[in-house]
Amino acid sequence: LPELEPRIFSFNAPYGACEDCKGLGIKLKIDEDLIISDRDLSIKEGAIIPLNNNDNNIFFTILEETCKLHNIDLNKPIRKLSRSELDIIFYGSKEPVDIKYVSKNGNVRYSTEYYEGIVTNLERRYMETQSGWIREWIEQFMTELPCPTCHGARLNSAVLSVLINHKNIYELT
């Protein structure tokens, strides 16, 4: 812990802010319920909004091959899929799949890919993009949750370890 001074007790300063949430006290996380339009629809029928009902892209091709590998029926309504099947669809698979992708203009590409999952893909794209439009589009599928590190206190653990009468600054204020 650095020497105690007022600036370390502020979540607005990098000295005191939680490293995980940068002093916001919240984290945005993809919410599965927000990416599903209708649990009575199947993936092939457009149940998952971010897929844009577009089955002619490389991401969907990798999803299809991963589902074939794991015997997941893309024509089955979402609510009839098991939790383990949904976990593969949303969070990916550790097994690589061989794919043959034919683009709209007829080009053919063969490769071996890992399927990262819809939720994982959206989270990665949210962190990597420089586009405000893409960030805003992905945020429609996100929910604010208390930061898992500071639990909403907005301050780092070192600052929260400073106690007055057995209470830290967050508990006092």
Side-chain angles (χ1 to χ4, degrees), residues 77-97:
I78 292 286
R79 70 180 166 95
K80 291 188 177 179
L81 294 173
S82 71
R83 185 68 242 176
S84 61
E85 290 173 325
L86 288 172
D87 283 344
I88 291 168
I89 292 166
F90 290 145
Y91 303 102
S93 172
K94 295 184 185 342
E95 296 82 16
V97 291

Side-chain angles (χ1 to χ4, degrees), residues 50-156:
L51 293 177
N52 294 325
N53 210 18
N54 180 4
D55 60 2
N56 189 27
N57 65 42
I58 192 131
F59 184 83
F60 199 88
T61 302
I62 299 168
L63 168 61
E64 281 183 309
E65 292 304 318
T66 300
C67 288
K68 283 180 195 171
L69 178 70
H70 293 282
N71 297 316
I72 300 171
D73 184 357
L74 292 177
N75 292 305
K76 186 189 280 187
I78 292 286
R79 70 180 166 95
K80 291 188 177 179
L81 294 173
S82 71
R83 185 68 242 176
S84 61
E85 290 173 325
L86 288 172
D87 283 344
I88 291 168
I89 292 166
F90 290 145
Y91 303 102
S93 172
K94 295 184 185 342
E95 296 82 16
V97 291
D98 294 321
I99 64 162
K100 174 187 176 185
Y101 175 68
V102 181
S103 67
K104 288 179 184 176
N105 63 4
N107 292 333
V108 179
R109 174 181 159 199
Y110 296 92
S111 67
T112 300
E113 304 283 341
Y114 286 91
Y115 173 66
E116 70 179 326
I118 296 165
V119 170
T120 309
N121 174 271
L122 289 170
E123 287 174 343
R124 178 185 55 77
R125 289 170 51 203
Y126 185 77
M127 297 303 293
E128 291 176 357
T129 189
Q130 299 296 314
S131 167
W133 182 87
I134 293 292
R135 287 178 76 80
E136 196 172 297
W137 179 75
I138 294 173
E139 283 174 356
Q140 73 179 312
F141 308 117
M142 300 178 105
T143 301
E144 287 184 0
L145 297 172
C147 173
T149 304
C150 69
H151 307 288
R154 303 167 77 171
L155 296 162
N156 67 46

